[in-house]
Amino acid sequence: MGEKRVIEEKEEAMAIKKASLVFAVNGERFEISLSSVDPSTTLIDFLRNKTPFKSVKLGCGEGGCGACVVLLSKYDPLLDKVDDFTVSSCLTLLCSIDGCSITTSEGLGNSRAGFHAVHERIAGFHATQCGFCTPGMSVSMFSALLNADKSSHHDPPSNGSSNLTAAEAEKAVSGNLCRCTGYRPLVDACKSFAKDVDIEDLGFNSFCKKGENRDDALKKLPCYDRTLSSTFPEFLKKELKMDTSLDDSRKYRWSSPGSISELQGLLQLDDNGMSVKLVAGNTSTGYYKEEKEKKYERFIDVRRLPELTVVRRDEKGVELGAAVTISKAIEFLRAKESVSMLAKLATHMEKIATRFVRNTGTLGGNIMMAQRKQFPSDLTTILVAARATVKIMSIGSNVQEQFKLEEFLQQPPLEGKSLLVSVMIPSWRPLKNGSSSSSDTRLLFETYRAAPRPLGNALAFLNAAFSAEVSLNESRDGVVVTDCLLAFGAYGTKHSHRVRKVEEYLVGKVISDEVLMEAIGLLKDEIVPDKGTLNPGYRSSLAVSFLFEFFGSLATNGLLNGCKENGFGSLKHEAMLSSAQQIVEIQEHSPVGKGIVKAGAKLQASGEAVYVDDIPSPKDCLYGAFIYSTMPLARIKSIRFKENRVPEGVIGIITYKDIPKGGTNVGNKGFFASDLLFAEEITHGAGEIIAFLVAESQKLADIAVNLVVIDYDTEGLEPPILSLEEAVEKSSLFEIPASLQSKPVGDITKGMAEAEHKILGSKISLGSQYFFYMETQTALAVPDEDNCMLVYSSTQAPEYVHRTIAGCLGVPEHNVRVITRRVGGGFGGKVMKSMPVAAACALAATKMQRPVRTYVNRKTDMITTGGRHPMKITYSVGFKSNGKVTALDLELLLDAGLSEDISPLMPSGIQGALMKYDWGALSFDVKLCKTNAVSRTAVRAPGDVQGSYIAEAIIEKVASYLSIDVDEIRKVNLHAYESLKLFYNKKAGESTEYTLPQLWEKLEAFSGFSQRRKVVDEFNASSKWRKRGISRVPAVYGVGLRLTPGRVSVLSDGSIVVEVPGIEIGQGLWTKVKQMAAFSLGLIQCSTTSDEILEKIRVIQTDTLSMVQGSVTGGSTSSEASSEAVRICCDGLVERLLPVKTDLVEKTGGPVTWDSLISQAYKQSINMSVSNTYSPDSHSAQYLNYGVAASEVEVNILTGETTILRTDIIYDCGKSLNPAVDLGQIEGAFVQGLGFFMLEEYLMNSDGLIVTDSTWTYKIPTVDTIPRQFNVEILNSGHHKNRVLSSKASGEPPLLLAASVHCAVRAAVKEANKQIQTWSDSQQEADLSFDLPVPATMPVVKELCGLNVVEKYLDWKIKQRKNI
């Protein structure tokens, strides 16, 4: 009977399995009927909508940011082995995880079961700010730990660390994006697990103090228990040991055939025209996003086909199945250490996408994207160079054909009934007919790529791979090319290909400068980017650079000299990130002044922190997506769907016509004129919102929006204004209120007359920058009784969102309630731009009388939110022969877009930061241009970052004109206190507050600036193809405080609730507020300490009906203003409690605890809630912040790549309220500034529509682009009587210091130009007064060094030899 029962159970389990998907999430079993599942459903859709696990965040939907990363574990019953790896859940199809176990960040640990050591160390290393990206970071770190311990042959160290190395720790999060932290603390948190890291070398943390005994310090680190790491559920193991094949896969829309014959059967079913998609990793949908929207009737998973999963090596070479993942291929190729070509292929493959994409993306998928859709593939280029072939099978006939990969790529797109089976990389041996002896023969193989990010996660501008057989010639004084293969791709060509004319020319030649020059000429004829490719000249020049780098050393008989004597040596990325922080923790007002862990940090790391889109959808909830204009100025004739067919799930389209009676078409009620919510008859800008489509799910809404057709008409309309010059010509300008207009300083005429030199009419241009908050714009509107509306909004300005919604709906403001708990990054973008998002949801909810929410997709967010103000600057400057400026006259044109937004505030920000130098006299004229583009808005340090850079550009120009060192020019133009007062008036404060000269000198010692300049000079004298630059830059940043309310309430058990209008956007506002409340309530001096009171405090979400007059969280002062408001409230409570305490002491005769004090106060019916307002006076409302940074860079002249070797910052925080929080703000702001100055291009098409609208085209800084050494000192500048407990702001000012990197790059390019000039026949000196554009991307830097620098060098060498 028992045996029969077992058989029955097995059969029953098999029956269930055959018709269902079974998998685990965080150990919990899920079973879904295959007949009910939509096979296009992604894992993130399922996790966020069908499970309680919300740690998985949608950041981009492209596999480009890492916010949605989860750990996927697969069990092999035959080997009894679990394979764990990260995947991007936004690309992974739900059906593909059958039999797998998924672990999210809350599955690693949480507040109920206990946090994981990864969470605790992220919190303790102060490595989270807004926290939106942190769960993905946690999973990436955990996966690195898990796999380091699995792959290592050594036992893990016994001290609670792992077998992870520091180099692996850096790479662990290299694919994850973070806009807040600047990455350094995240890397340190991960490195704290590494076996080869000294805790002393890591950054400021809450576990160990500098100088502490290493063993004692390690004991304080949260212990990493690797025994808890293997989490594959036993129930899944049991089920996987049974037969898991589907009974009849033809019944379902998802099939997973186990053989080619089964696949043939499935495809024959579909001969009637049924649309079929063959899938493996599905990662192509990250790039070809339209694939997600196609309706396929059947998905066929090819990963179980044995022919497609082969991994084999024999004497003929290596064969890799098409369904082998890129990560598995890397692992296999790298295992063959004896074959350097295979190892080099593996190293290059590591730069494809990110680890969590490579883990599921397949070789075949990548090749097919290149073959069918001309994807700019790295893989195909390096495989062409490795002489790879591919096997293609015709599924109907089972016939297999073999093609050279290059031939296959150039064939017509492979049909659906043919299958890429495998890739063969042949063994490479010298040609047998070579005349040289084998000892003189070398096989050379190298791969190259130039991309914005060194470690990958960026498409290449050009990639290349070369193989060559070379040997010494008969006289043994030269190197002959016996054979070569040169492959190029991704430069704006359809496919990777060989340059055969160059190959044919080189074969049989002795490599010389003359031969190289001839080869380069042939190469330039072949490498011609297609029309419309960005930076075509740059891409062609890269081909020349890489060819020269490969063969150049051979021209000097490099075969005998190790082939690397030409100065091409590259920086190894094993040169690890390092940092040093000098921080003073002040005990005077404890716990204020301490670097305590940020409130909610562990919740953010585990993914339990709730953001707006994490709030469960109410019953009958609908979802919205915005329809925006693609024309700059046009009449809107109609809005319809393609084929006039309403897409699935669409409920309706909301336009301005749906605004209720009494309401107005208002999208924001901000500081100046209100904007429209929806364009009306005419759209005035590409990217302007036209309508709001409402559907039954966010996925259906996003799909339907792309099926909308807008019919436009431009007849009778003026041409759109798309340039600043057109706006001025047509007087299309916004008025700047008199109080905000720029004020001249001194007598400009007199200053110019005193000048000994003048530069007249010089010009500067600055582009835009996108916020790139990790959480895009989002809101949820829920209709309530009596015509009321509850709105959850991700905003920095709940009060203004509230006003906007009330105005739009035409209801009293008391009918609207806006709640904001936290925001997943703002940077100014969630002030004005959050208002129309919330208003649209509220309007739709009013019309539908159902809850409506939206989570704006990344592309729409990038197109509709505007970003920083582009501007053009014309200036004239007069100065003395020593570089002292006597007068500066500026004219600025700012592109405000189609409405004012915050633009009238910009001139004061620009002028404020510009005045960091003593210009003698300053004249300043600004025009706010109204153009047919999306309204520009506040982006972190709005106006100030541009003003500070303009100042540096002028100083650099003066230095070049006079041929004086630019650091001397900066120093001579720094303010004395008297000139500071002249320029800044009251903001200048007392003379003791002006710390900039002190910081300037202090940085000299802190960074070893003078000595390092000499080292840089020595390096530049000896290095031909890499040049270094170093620069020191000051920043002055004015801030203002606003009226700020607060409320502190003590509950009956002694716990404390604090309300402030300031929004926690990652800047640590809640943390500082809690510290201030604990300090202030601690003044009651009961036996409970302030640190103990701190544990009793909770700061709660902002509610506009509870906390009115909340204003805006921005301008860097909301934390200190909120803290001061709370301090005032606490003083009121202390005043009420002191008599109670006195009575208790008299009665008991002993110390009084906080809890007993509060209990007694409640018994006496004392009001334990105090509301009050901080209203700054004229002395405390405004002040200046100071900082100085020195940065050193290395520029590769051949590619334009910049590596930031080191940055040192000294920043005056006054007496920091929390130095750990302020340190994070300083580093994060600097790195965001780095993006503006070096990386981020926010480009528009000819209609003004943003085209850099994805993670593929818009590149923010990553771990591999920040300074390799990043040192920060927070100066404790002592008592400031008009500041909040002597503290100063830190959120925005440090962003300005990133200009030091840009200036250092200019210095390096200057050195390159000096050297290149020596290769010229011309007696002219190099032009060193050039302007380096912003951002100084690789193409920009290379162009300034010279696109033909290699040709110049070779030509010079040839002529030199002839002259000898």
Side-chain angles (χ1 to χ4, degrees):
M1 283 293 288
E3 187 179 336
K4 184 181 177 186
R5 180 67 188 143
V6 168
I7 292 168
E8 285 174 353
E9 284 179 357
K10 185 173 179 180
E11 287 176 350
E12 188 180 335
M14 285 170 61
I16 295 170
K17 181 71 177 107
K18 285 171 184 172
S20 306
L21 299 173
V22 177
F23 55 91
V25 180
N26 297 333
E28 186 179 329
R29 188 179 191 277
F30 286 85
E31 184 171 337
I32 302 171
S33 168
L34 270 172
S35 59
S36 65
V37 69
D38 176 352
S40 69
T41 302
T42 58
L43 178 55
I44 193 171
D45 285 341
F46 177 78
L47 291 173
R48 290 195 59 80
N49 297 318
K50 303 295 184 184
T51 79
F53 307 117
K54 303 290 188 183
S55 68
V56 182
K57 309 296 185 195
L58 182 62
C60 66
E62 301 166 339
C65 74
C68 71
V69 165
V70 297
L71 186 78
L72 187 146
S73 302
K74 269 187 172 176
Y75 176 65
D76 186 332
L78 295 175
L79 300 175
D80 192 26
K81 179 187 168 193
V82 177
D83 195 10
D84 304 284
F85 49 90
T86 50
V87 301
S88 188
S89 64
C90 71
L91 302 180
T92 303
L93 293 173
L94 178 65
C95 292
S96 71
I97 67 162
D98 186 28
C100 298
S101 175
I102 301 296
T103 307
T104 69
S105 192
E106 64 259 74
L108 300 179
N110 50 64
S111 57
R112 297 175 305 284
F115 292 105
H116 191 276
V118 165
H119 301 147
E120 293 183 306
R121 294 201 194 184
I122 284 175
F125 274 87
H126 312 292
T128 176
Q129 288 187 28
C130 89
F132 199 80
C133 71
T134 318
M137 294 278 183
S138 299
V139 174
S140 290
M141 287 185 197
F142 175 74
S143 174
L145 295 176
L146 197 59
N147 288 308
D149 288 339
K150 278 187 177 182
S151 60
S152 175
H153 302 299
H154 307 288
D155 289 331
S158 58
N159 57 10
S161 55
S162 78
N163 276 311
L164 190 73
T165 65
E168 290 165 345
E170 258 187 39
K171 288 183 178 178
V173 294
S174 64
N176 295 69
L177 300 186
C178 174
R179 192 52 144 171
C180 298
T181 63
Y183 299 101
R184 194 274 315 157
L186 283 159
V187 172
D188 278 357
C190 196
K191 276 189 189 173
S192 72
F193 292 98
K195 61 184 178 183
D196 58 346
V197 165
D198 189 332
I199 192 75
E200 272 281 306
D201 296 332
L202 300 179
F204 184 67
N205 62 82
S206 65
F207 308 118
C208 337
K209 303 301 177 194
K210 292 288 180 186
E212 195 172 359
N213 177 279
R214 187 174 185 273
D215 291 335
D216 292 341
L218 286 171
K219 286 174 191 170
K220 292 181 183 177
L221 283 173
C223 185
Y224 166 53
D225 185 354
R226 67 196 55 78
T227 61
L228 302 175
S229 296
S230 184
T231 54
F232 200 88
E234 286 301 321
F235 68 82
L236 264 186
K237 284 186 179 180
K238 286 178 185 173
E239 295 187 32
L240 287 168
K241 286 173 181 174
M242 301 176 188
D243 179 10
T244 57
S245 59
L246 286 168
D247 189 20
D248 183 359
S249 58
R250 292 172 296 181
K251 290 180 188 174
Y252 310 113
R253 289 180 60 202
W254 176 272
S255 307
S256 187
S259 67
I260 293 292
S261 60
E262 197 179 338
L263 174 64
Q264 285 173 328
L266 287 167
L267 289 174
Q268 281 164 8
L269 281 174
D270 304 327
D271 279 339
N272 59 1
M274 182 184 284
S275 57
V276 176
K277 182 174 186 179
L278 300 183
V279 292
N282 197 51
T283 54
S284 64
T285 57
Y287 188 74
Y288 298 107
K289 291 182 279 293
E290 67 278 5
E291 277 290 309
K292 288 184 179 181
E293 295 163 14
K294 284 185 182 174
K295 288 291 281 185
Y296 289 98
E297 290 161 282
R298 184 184 292 281
F299 285 69
I300 301 177
D301 178 6
V302 298
R303 292 174 305 159
R304 290 179 61 232
L305 299 175
E307 294 86 347
L308 270 66
T309 54
V310 64
V311 178
R312 182 188 303 132
R313 185 179 180 214
D314 55 28
E315 69 281 354
K316 291 181 182 177
V318 170
E319 185 177 10
L320 296 167
V324 171
T325 66
I326 297 170
S327 288
K328 286 291 181 190
I330 291 168
E331 190 181 318
F332 183 74
L333 295 173
R334 187 158 280 154
K336 314 300 173 189
E337 292 176 3
S338 58
V339 186
S340 65
M341 182 184 80
L342 298 182
K344 285 177 179 177
L345 288 174
T347 299
H348 192 109
M349 284 183 191
E350 279 194 315
K351 294 172 184 173
I352 295 171
T354 59
R355 183 174 302 185
F356 46 82
V357 171
R358 294 192 297 269
N359 286 340
T360 52
T362 61
L363 299 176
N366 190 292
I367 292 168
M368 289 313 304
M369 283 200 299
Q371 203 266 350
R372 283 180 173 164
K373 299 191 175 185
Q374 292 88 53
F375 176 72
S377 166
D378 275 84
L379 187 64
T380 54
T381 302
I382 62 177
L383 289 177
V384 165
R387 296 172 167 79
T389 58
V390 292
K391 276 186 196 171
I392 306 297
M393 177 189 285
S394 174
I395 297 172
S397 62
N398 256 11
V399 173
Q400 286 197 13
E401 291 184 272
Q402 194 152 342
F403 300 97
K404 289 180 180 176
L405 176 58
E406 187 190 18
E407 291 172 10
F408 173 64
L409 291 172
Q410 289 166 356
Q411 290 174 7
L414 194 68
E415 293 178 358
K417 294 298 172 73
S418 296
L419 191 66
L420 172 61
V421 176
S422 65
V423 182
M424 181 77 186
I425 305 168
S427 295
W428 188 27
R429 297 179 182 84
L431 293 173
K432 293 205 167 114
N433 60 358
S435 56
S436 303
S437 68
S438 60
S439 62
D440 292 336
T441 299
R442 297 282 189 278
L443 298 177
L444 306 178
F445 185 85
E446 294 292 342
T447 72
Y448 302 89
R449 81 192 302 267
R453 293 171 178 158
L455 292 182
N457 200 13
L459 292 176
F461 292 108
L462 174 139
N463 52 43
F466 310 143
S467 60
E469 182 183 325
V470 297
S471 57
L472 289 172
N473 63 358
E474 289 181 7
S475 57
R476 301 184 67 79
D477 60 356
V479 176
V480 180
V481 178
T482 312
D483 184 35
C484 70
L485 193 159
L486 311 174
F488 292 89
Y491 61 83
T493 180
K494 288 184 173 60
H495 303 292
S496 304
H497 66 95
R498 293 169 60 178
V499 285
R500 281 187 163 76
K501 286 182 182 174
V502 184
E503 293 171 2
E504 289 163 8
Y505 171 76
L506 286 170
V507 170
K509 299 284 192 304
V510 175
I511 294 295
S512 65
D513 295 331
E514 290 82 356
V515 166
L516 280 178
M517 274 294 271
E518 188 68 29
I520 285 167
L522 293 170
L523 181 67
K524 285 161 84 172
D525 289 340
E526 291 209 45
I527 304 296
V528 181
D530 292 344
K531 191 176 179 183
T533 303
L534 288 175
N535 312 117
Y538 169 65
R539 292 170 192 258
S540 297
S541 78
L542 286 172
V544 173
S545 293
F546 291 151
L547 187 78
F548 174 62
E549 193 167 337
F550 186 70
F551 284 114
S553 56
L554 300 180
T556 52
N557 203 353
L559 194 66
L560 301 176
N561 299 317
C563 300
K564 276 291 176 191
E565 68 163 28
N566 231 16
F568 302 125
S570 62
L571 279 169
K572 289 190 167 51
H573 284 290
E574 282 63 31
M576 301 305 299
L577 288 174
S578 64
S579 64
Q581 294 91 36
Q582 293 187 19
I583 288 168
V584 177
E585 292 192 88
I586 302 160
Q587 304 295 328
E588 183 183 351
H589 303 113
S590 180
V592 172
K594 287 184 176 178
I596 68 167
V597 170
K598 184 173 167 291
K602 291 177 192 174
L603 289 176
Q604 289 178 330
S606 70
E608 294 170 279
V610 176
Y611 299 82
V612 170
D613 199 51
D614 298 331
I615 298 167
S617 292
K619 189 174 181 295
D620 299 324
C621 189
L622 298 173
Y623 301 77
F626 286 107
I627 299 167
Y628 54 82
S629 170
T630 54
M631 294 283 283
L633 185 64
R635 247 178 237 96
I636 302 164
K637 290 175 67 181
S638 67
I639 303 172
R640 58 186 174 85
F641 291 107
K642 288 177 185 173
E643 301 174 5
N644 292 319
R645 187 186 305 160
V646 177
E648 178 190 354
V650 172
I651 304 297
I653 293 178
I654 307 292
T655 69
Y656 75 95
K657 295 175 182 176
D658 294 295
I659 290 166
K661 188 178 179 183
T664 53
N665 183 15
V666 58
N668 67 50
K669 278 192 169 186
F671 307 102
F672 303 102
S674 299
D675 283 0
L676 296 179
L677 175 56
F678 299 122
E680 296 182 351
E681 279 86 4
I682 295 174
T683 174
H684 292 275
E688 183 182 17
I689 294 168
I690 291 175
F692 190 57
L693 183 146
V694 180
E696 289 172 352
S697 74
Q698 192 66 61
K699 179 181 175 181
L700 292 173
D702 288 337
I703 289 172
V705 155
N706 291 325
L707 299 174
V708 167
V709 176
I710 301 171
D711 295 312
Y712 298 104
D713 173 23
T714 57
E715 191 178 338
L717 295 176
E718 291 283 317
I721 297 170
L722 293 171
S723 73
L724 292 166
E725 291 79 5
E726 286 175 311
V728 173
E729 185 185 327
K730 296 181 179 179
S731 298
S732 178
L733 304 171
F734 290 115
E735 192 174 333
I736 303 171
S739 62
L740 296 173
Q741 288 176 8
S742 307
K743 309 292 190 294
V745 179
D747 186 336
I748 193 76
T749 307
K750 184 183 174 192
M752 282 293 184
E754 291 173 355
E756 295 166 1
H757 308 276
K758 293 175 187 173
I759 297 170
L760 303 175
S762 196
K763 296 185 184 299
I764 304 169
S765 290
L766 290 169
S768 188
Q769 183 184 25
Y770 170 62
F771 322 93
F772 217 104
Y773 28 60
M774 295 303 296
E775 173 204 44
T776 56
Q777 302 283 353
T778 180
L780 164 62
V782 184
D784 205 346
E785 65 181 23
D786 198 21
N787 201 25
C788 291
M789 186 65 65
L790 169 61
V791 179
Y792 298 92
S793 172
S794 180
T795 180
Q796 293 171 247
E799 180 189 350
Y800 291 101
V801 170
H802 188 130
R803 292 182 194 174
T804 302
I805 292 168
C808 179
L809 300 183
V811 298
E813 287 188 17
H814 65 48
N815 279 32
V816 177
R817 183 182 179 201
V818 176
I819 291 176
T820 304
R821 182 176 295 181
R822 61 172 59 82
V823 170
F827 316 113
K830 303 246 178 99
V831 180
M832 305 296 286
K833 299 299 182 179
S834 64
M835 298 177 201
V837 178
C841 286
L843 176 60
T846 298
K847 178 170 183 184
M848 308 289 186
Q849 280 304 297
R850 290 169 66 178
V852 176
R853 74 188 315 163
T854 187
Y855 187 76
V856 180
N857 67 59
R858 181 63 67 182
K859 177 178 179 178
T860 301
D861 197 289
M862 295 189 79
I863 286 171
T864 57
T865 52
R868 253 188 226 289
H869 291 70
M871 59 184 70
K872 292 188 176 179
I873 303 100
T874 305
Y875 68 88
S876 297
V877 61
F879 46 96
K880 303 277 191 182
S881 294
N882 68 346
K884 178 67 190 77
V885 175
T886 57
L888 174 63
D889 181 38
L890 285 137
E891 292 179 11
L892 284 85
L893 303 180
L894 270 65
D895 187 345
L898 59 87
S899 64
E900 285 171 291
D901 202 279
I902 59 93
S903 296
L905 296 172
M906 288 290 291
S908 56
I910 296 169
Q911 185 173 358
L914 176 88
M915 296 191 305
K916 63 182 178 179
Y917 291 117
D918 176 7
W919 302 110
L922 175 66
S923 173
F924 197 86
D925 178 58
V926 182
K927 290 183 174 66
L928 281 186
C929 300
K930 181 180 181 180
T931 62
N932 293 110
V934 175
S935 301
R936 310 297 175 175
T937 191
V939 182
R940 198 175 194 173
D944 300 81
V945 66
Q946 294 100 326
S948 193
Y949 171 73
I950 293 164
E952 297 307 333
I954 294 167
I955 290 289
E956 295 265 358
K957 188 73 86 172
V958 170
S960 295
Y961 182 96
L962 294 172
S963 299
I964 297 176
D965 179 72
V966 68
D967 199 62
E968 292 301 313
I969 304 294
R970 288 192 174 101
K971 190 172 181 179
V972 81
N973 284 293
L974 288 178
H975 281 288
Y977 177 64
E978 290 71 26
S979 61
L980 186 82
K981 277 183 74 175
L982 174 67
F983 276 76
Y984 286 103
N985 301 314
K986 279 186 184 179
K987 268 190 188 177
E990 303 292 327
S991 60
T992 52
E993 294 177 49
Y994 179 46
T995 55
L996 187 60
Q998 177 191 344
L999 297 176
W1000 186 261
E1001 297 305 325
K1002 196 172 171 59
L1003 189 77
E1004 169 80 42
F1006 179 63
S1007 66
F1009 187 72
S1010 296
Q1011 182 58 36
R1012 282 171 53 215
R1013 288 175 74 188
K1014 292 176 187 170
V1015 174
V1016 165
D1017 290 343
E1018 290 167 8
F1019 177 88
N1020 289 336
S1022 63
S1023 174
K1024 194 176 284 131
W1025 300 110
R1026 290 178 175 271
K1027 296 295 178 185
R1028 290 183 179 175
I1030 187 169
S1031 181
R1032 171 171 50 167
V1033 163
V1036 177
Y1037 193 104
V1039 297
L1041 287 88
R1042 299 174 292 276
L1043 178 125
T1044 305
R1047 179 182 295 120
V1048 180
S1049 305
V1050 185
L1051 305 180
S1052 63
D1053 63 351
S1055 59
I1056 300 149
V1057 175
V1058 177
E1059 286 182 81
V1060 288
I1063 305 300
E1064 178 57 68
I1065 52 178
Q1067 81 284 46
L1069 183 147
W1070 281 6
T1071 312
K1072 289 181 176 179
V1073 163
K1074 282 179 70 173
Q1075 287 172 277
M1076 182 65 88
F1079 158 68
S1080 303
L1081 292 174
L1083 295 176
I1084 195 77
Q1085 294 185 331
C1086 58
S1087 62
T1088 308
T1089 66
S1090 293
D1091 287 347
E1092 290 168 329
I1093 291 174
L1094 182 68
E1095 298 303 313
K1096 296 176 178 289
I1097 299 169
R1098 179 181 295 277
V1099 184
I1100 62 170
Q1101 62 196 16
T1102 300
D1103 181 335
T1104 53
L1105 289 186
S1106 176
M1107 184 65 58
V1108 299
Q1109 296 177 289
S1111 190
V1112 172
T1113 298
S1116 301
T1117 57
S1118 298
S1119 293
E1120 63 199 84
S1122 295
S1123 295
E1124 183 63 7
V1126 165
R1127 189 187 67 77
I1128 294 167
C1129 294
C1130 290
D1131 285 351
L1133 281 169
V1134 169
E1135 189 179 332
R1136 294 176 190 178
L1137 287 169
L1138 272 173
V1140 181
K1141 180 199 167 191
T1142 304
D1143 288 348
L1144 272 175
V1145 169
E1146 286 177 4
K1147 283 177 187 174
T1148 62
V1152 175
T1153 67
W1154 173 260
D1155 290 353
S1156 63
L1157 177 63
I1158 299 307
S1159 177
Q1160 186 61 29
Y1162 263 80
K1163 285 175 186 174
Q1164 295 181 19
S1165 299
I1166 290 171
N1167 183 358
M1168 284 284 93
S1169 183
V1170 173
S1171 299
N1172 214 322
T1173 301
Y1174 166 54
S1175 183
D1177 59 27
S1178 61
H1179 298 291
S1180 57
Q1182 295 183 315
Y1183 64 89
L1184 298 177
N1185 296 272
Y1186 307 106
V1188 181
S1191 291
E1192 182 181 347
V1193 304
E1194 185 171 298
V1195 168
N1196 182 331
I1197 297 174
L1198 292 173
T1199 64
E1201 180 182 11
T1202 296
T1203 303
I1204 307 167
L1205 301 177
R1206 178 171 168 180
T1207 290
D1208 297 271
I1209 296 172
I1210 302 183
Y1211 185 77
D1212 180 2
C1213 264
K1215 289 185 178 180
S1216 171
L1217 297 178
N1218 183 320
V1221 166
D1222 287 334
L1223 172 66
Q1225 290 294 286
I1226 292 164
E1227 291 179 337
F1230 181 88
V1231 171
Q1232 191 166 5
L1234 189 63
F1236 175 67
F1237 286 114
M1238 298 302 298
L1239 291 165
E1240 299 173 36
E1241 293 183 286
Y1242 203 31
L1243 305 177
M1244 298 186 295
N1245 67 12
S1246 57
D1247 285 325
L1249 187 72
I1250 296 295
V1251 292
T1252 46
D1253 56 9
S1254 70
T1255 56
W1256 289 94
T1257 52
Y1258 191 83
K1259 296 299 179 186
I1260 69 170
T1262 41
V1263 164
D1264 49 346
T1265 55
I1266 67 171
R1268 306 307 296 163
Q1269 188 174 351
F1270 199 176
N1271 305 321
V1272 179
E1273 178 177 346
I1274 295 180
L1275 181 76
N1276 172 16
S1277 60
H1279 183 64
H1280 298 282
K1281 65 181 180 181
N1282 293 320
R1283 305 283 77 77
V1284 175
L1285 293 190
S1286 298
S1287 68
K1288 299 185 80 174
S1290 62
E1292 292 170 288
L1295 188 142
L1296 280 53
L1297 296 172
S1300 61
V1301 173
H1302 191 269
C1303 294
V1305 171
R1306 190 183 182 282
V1309 172
K1310 192 171 162 183
E1311 290 304 311
N1313 286 342
K1314 282 183 189 173
Q1315 174 183 273
I1316 293 161
Q1317 186 61 31
T1318 66
W1319 300 338
S1320 169
D1321 292 336
S1322 168
Q1323 299 303 306
Q1324 279 184 312
E1325 289 191 8
D1327 176 20
L1328 304 180
S1329 64
F1330 61 88
D1331 292 313
L1332 179 63
V1334 174
T1337 58
M1338 290 172 70
V1340 161
V1341 171
K1342 169 71 171 158
E1343 200 158 327
L1344 282 171
C1345 292
L1347 296 178
N1348 61 346
V1349 61
V1350 171
E1351 297 93 309
K1352 274 189 177 179
Y1353 170 68
L1354 289 172
D1355 189 50
W1356 170 76
K1357 272 184 77 185
I1358 292 165
K1359 286 176 179 172
Q1360 289 285 102
R1361 216 167 24 252
K1362 285 180 179 173
N1363 292 337
I1364 292 173

